[in-house]
Each structure stands twice: as C-alpha cells, then as structure tokens.
C-alpha cells in the first residue's frame, strides 16, 4: 500500500544513464547515430549525463557475439569495447558522475578484478561501481577455461564467494597503513596490511592486496538478478538493483518484496536502491509522443528482428513468414539447445510460450511484428516532458522504485532530449538535485551508507 506524501518525507529521485548497446532498443540506422566504439561517443554520452546530474552511467557487457540458428545476428553486432578501459578513460573527462561497469563473476577471478575496480575507484576519486552478473551457459563459456563446468544452480554460489573474496581484499588494508614518512623512512606500516587467506569451493586466494584503500573502500555494487537466488544475493550484498519491473504495480510488488527482506539481514531500507530500466519518448503533446513511439518501435523491431525473436522460441527457420501476418501455427522444435544464443531471454517451455503468444496475438489482433513490439519495444514513458516527469515522480514517491536507469534509443545523443526537457521538470518539483555535492563519492551521491574505516588494530597481520 502506498503512503501519502503528507505522511512521509518527499524522496529524492535517483537516475542512471544506460549507454545504448547492441540490441534492438538502439536504432543504429537513425541519422543521429554514431560509432559504438569511438571514444567521442562515450565522452558525449557521459558528459551529457553529467550535465543532467545523473547519479551514474552504466555500461553493459557482451562476452560473445549473438547468434541465431548458427549465424551471427548482424542486426545487433556493432561492437562492445572493454568496459574497464572505457570507464578509466571517462574518469578523466568527468568529475562527478558515477562509473558503473558490468563484469561477470563467472568468467573473472576475484583477486584480479578486485584490483582493477579498486584502481578505477582511485582514478575516479571514488566514483566506481560494479554491476556483478553471472553467466551460466556453455555458449559464452566456450571462450573461457571455466565455461562448461559451471552448472546453472552454482552461479550465485560462485557470485557470492567472488563478492566475499573481493570484499576481503578491499578491506585488507587499514586506512592508516600508508605512512610515506620521509623522516623515518617508513612507507607502509606492516601492521596495517592484513593477509587474505581464503579457501572455498570456488576460489583459493592467499596474499596481500596491492593497493591501499580507495576513496569508497569498495565500489558500489549493482545487481540485476530477479530469481529467488538473485533477490537473495541482492539483499545480502548489493547497493543497487537494476530491475526489469518498470510497470507501476509490478514495480511496487518487487519493491515491497526486496525491501521487506532487508530487516532480516540487519539493513535499513534506504541501504538498497531499486532502479528499473526505462525507455522514454517525448512530444509537445500526448498525441505527438504516441505517434513518435509507434514510429520508433517499428524501427527498433525490423522484420528481421521480429523473426529473430520468434525463432528463439520456435527454434526453426521462420524466414518464409510475413511479419505483418499471423504467428506460425506450427509448434516449436524442442531441443536441448535453442536456436538463439547470447541473449538474456530464456524460454524454459517453448511450446507453452508459443501457445500464450498466439492467444495474445489473436485476442489483440496483432501481427508477428506487433506482438514482438509489445514486449521488445514497448516504451516505458510516453508523453510530454511534464507528464513523464510526473510519472517518474509518482513511481518514486509511492514506492514502486527509487528512480530509473534511463535508456535512450540512439547513440550517443539518445539522452540529450531527456536532459534538456525532463530534468528541469523534476528539478522544479524539488525531487531531483540541481547540482552534485562537491567531491561526493558514488555511495554519497546515491545516499548509501559508507564503508566503515579500518585501523591497523582491527586487522590480523601476517
């Protein structure tokens, strides 16, 4: 049940900016679209989001090119440079916005990745964040030495241990360990370094971290899992959940469920922020915005893309079907391996999914393309800037979210209009910052509790 604004303080809205990626949301054929690889694109995106006072920018990651029926899905493949390299470069051309990268706990090692993230936190003066993801399928794993050994059920077990080891490493130096006393000749106080000696089912790590504590001590942890295991991991370890529940009622149910778990683990409700992904289409009038939404959704779901989505379920060649016609009457081909690889969509019961889609399309009078648009290109917020701002505010004030991860539809200018037209509306309502706090870390920008300092006396040294 929502609480009226008169009975509780007005909440401040948190926003993150998602760099358009290799998926159908990005209209790469738009005349405004530019390179997915050139640093100029990332710089424009980051500096524009910082102009809009966003809490952080967010980079997705892809560890293998997507395929459909054994062929590269060329509508999506436009390049994904290494996440950490981009974020390190962006640290030098921004001053306040957080820098969050998606990095797999399945195909990395905690000692190395913890060191890389601590380095980013130092370089950015406390603005680093880690979207910790798991990857369970052998398709991605074929490129990595650990790929095929990890069972689906083990992915969060590994992620939790990965996080625990990383946290040990980030906490292994006392804040006063680095002395650099020129008179005494003492550079590091030996008692301020704790030996990490971890031996678990996934990792064996013995040694000292190579860096002193970074400004945040450890990066902000973002997590996107929606399964019971994913929600459990977020409850225990995450600072932010990148949620898929942008619909108001679904968002409020998710919000209540996850926030309701925090008390049991000794965490206050404000220590975990929930930010669903959200797209937007603006217009000077409601009708203009609706028309723009229809036009852009058809660009996002081309005929080839529509058939590709269906082939993920039917697992057979559907190129002979008219996307403006009805769904296939044939049943899917059920095998142990689906036809589409590299996407996050997983259909555990293709026959049931096909049946449900047919029923939905028939009831709504939808073609193949219109059905795919309904779930793959349905825009979250459509309307005038004032309407979009008020809708976002309602979600936050009535506990359906703490804000949103805003996704544009072109690269790198997709958020320019949002910054120019929606941000001022939020600021006028008094629910969004007009400037950053000078020198704030990402923890502080998000209103999260900081990490407690450590002294040499609190460490067990070697």
């Amino acid at each position: 049940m929502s609480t009226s604004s008169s009975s509780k303080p007005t909440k401040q809205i948190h926003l993150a900016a998602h760099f358009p990626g290799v998926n159908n949301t990005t209209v790469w054929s738009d005349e405004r679209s530019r390179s997915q690889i050139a640093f100029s694109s990332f710089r424009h995106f980051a500096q524009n989001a910082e102009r809009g006072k966003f809490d952080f920018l967010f980079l997705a990651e892809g560890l293998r090119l997507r395929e459909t029926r054994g062929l590269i899905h060329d509508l999506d493949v436009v390049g994904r440079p290494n996440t950490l390299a981009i974020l390190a470069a962006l640290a030098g051309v921004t001053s306040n916005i957080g820098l969050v990268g998606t990095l797999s706990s399945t195909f990395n090692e905690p000692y190395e990745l913890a060191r890389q993230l601590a380095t980013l936190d130092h370089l950015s003066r406390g603005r680093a964040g880690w979207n910790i993801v798991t990857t369970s399928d052998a398709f991605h794993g074929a490129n990595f030495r650990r790929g095929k050994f990890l069972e689906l059920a083990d992915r969060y077990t590994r992620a939790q241990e990965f996080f625990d080891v990383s946290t040990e490493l980030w906490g292994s130096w006392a804040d006063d360990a680095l002395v650099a006393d020129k008179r005494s000749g003492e550079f590091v106080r030996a008692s301020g370094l704790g030996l990490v000696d971890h031996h678990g089912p996934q990792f064996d790590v013995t040694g000292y971290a190579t860096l002193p504590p970074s400004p945040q001590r450890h990066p902000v942890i973002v997590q996107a899992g929606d399964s019971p295991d994913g929600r459990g991991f977020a409850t225990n370890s995450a600072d932010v959940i990148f949620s898929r529940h942008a619909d108001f009622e679904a968002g409020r149910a998710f919000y209540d469920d996850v926030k309701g778990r925090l008390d049991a683990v000794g965490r206050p409700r404000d220590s975990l922020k929930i930010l669903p992904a959200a797209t937007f289409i603006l217009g000077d009038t409601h009708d203009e915005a609706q028309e723009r939404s229809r036009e852009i959704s058809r660009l996002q779901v081309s005929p080839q893309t529509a058939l590709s989505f269906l082939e993920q379920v039917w697992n057979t060649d559907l190129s002979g079907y008219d996307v403006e016609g009805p769904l296939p009457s044939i049943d899917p081909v059920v095998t142990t391996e689906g036809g589409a690889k590299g996407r996050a969509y997983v259909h555990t019961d293709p026959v049931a999914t096909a049946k449900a889609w047919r029923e939905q399309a028939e009831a709504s009078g939808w073609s193949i393309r219109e059905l795919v648009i309904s779930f793959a290109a349905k825009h979250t917020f459509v309307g005038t800037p004032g309407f979009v701002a008020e809708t976002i505010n309602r979600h936050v004030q009535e506990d359906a979210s703490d804000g949103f991860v805003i996704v544009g539809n072109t690269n790198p200018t997709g958020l320019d209009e949002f910054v120019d037209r929606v941000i001022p509306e939020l600021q006028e309502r008094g629910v969004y910052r007009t400037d950053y706090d000078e020198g704030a870390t990402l923890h502080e920008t998000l209103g999260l509790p900081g990490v407690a300092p450590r002294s040499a006396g609190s460490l067990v040294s070697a």
Side-chain angles (χ1 to χ4, degrees), residues 131-148:
N131 178 35
I132 180 169
V133 297
T134 65
T135 317
S136 62
D137 60 277
F139 172 73
H140 286 93
N143 286 338
F144 297 88
R145 64 185 181 275
R146 291 184 176 271
K148 297 182 179 180

Side-chain angles (χ1 to χ4, degrees), residues 46-85:
Q47 292 179 340
N48 181 63
E50 189 166 63
R51 179 171 67 89
K53 315 303 178 187
F54 279 59
D55 292 61
F56 62 87
L57 63 85
F58 178 82
L59 298 185
E61 179 69 290
L63 298 177
R64 188 165 176 176
L65 301 183
R66 291 169 176 164
E67 298 178 14
T68 299
R69 291 182 287 105
L71 301 174
I72 297 298
H73 185 57
D74 62 346
L75 298 180
D76 282 355
V77 177
V78 280
R80 290 197 186 204
N82 178 269
T83 296
L84 285 167

Side-chain angles (χ1 to χ4, degrees), residues 196-276:
V196 174
D197 190 22
H198 175 94
H199 303 282
Q202 296 288 335
F203 305 108
D204 290 294
V205 177
T206 301
Y208 295 94
T210 61
L211 288 171
S214 66
Q216 295 186 107
R217 185 168 278 281
H218 71 67
V220 165
I221 302 299
V222 182
Q223 196 267 340
D226 192 48
S227 67
D229 285 342
R231 295 186 188 201
F233 178 83
T235 301
N236 287 308
S237 305
D239 300 305
V240 176
I241 295 181
F242 177 38
S243 160
R244 62 184 179 88
H245 300 290
D247 174 78
F248 181 79
E249 294 300 336
R252 191 153 56 170
F254 180 81
Y255 192 97
D256 287 345
D257 175 66
V258 174
K259 295 275 188 170
R261 298 169 182 241
L262 296 174
D263 186 59
V265 295
R267 297 183 61 181
R269 286 174 68 88
D270 286 346
S271 68
L272 177 63
K273 305 298 183 186
I274 297 176
L275 306 181

Side-chain angles (χ1 to χ4, degrees), residues 101-143:
T102 301
L103 299 157
S104 176
S105 60
T106 306
F107 301 130
N108 283 291
E109 294 292 322
Y111 187 90
E112 180 181 21
L113 188 55
R115 183 171 183 263
Q116 292 169 331
L117 288 165
T119 299
L120 178 63
D121 205 48
H122 277 292
L123 294 177
S124 65
R125 300 185 303 280
R127 296 184 283 134
W130 174 22
N131 178 35
I132 180 169
V133 297
T134 65
T135 317
S136 62
D137 60 277
F139 172 73
H140 286 93
N143 286 338

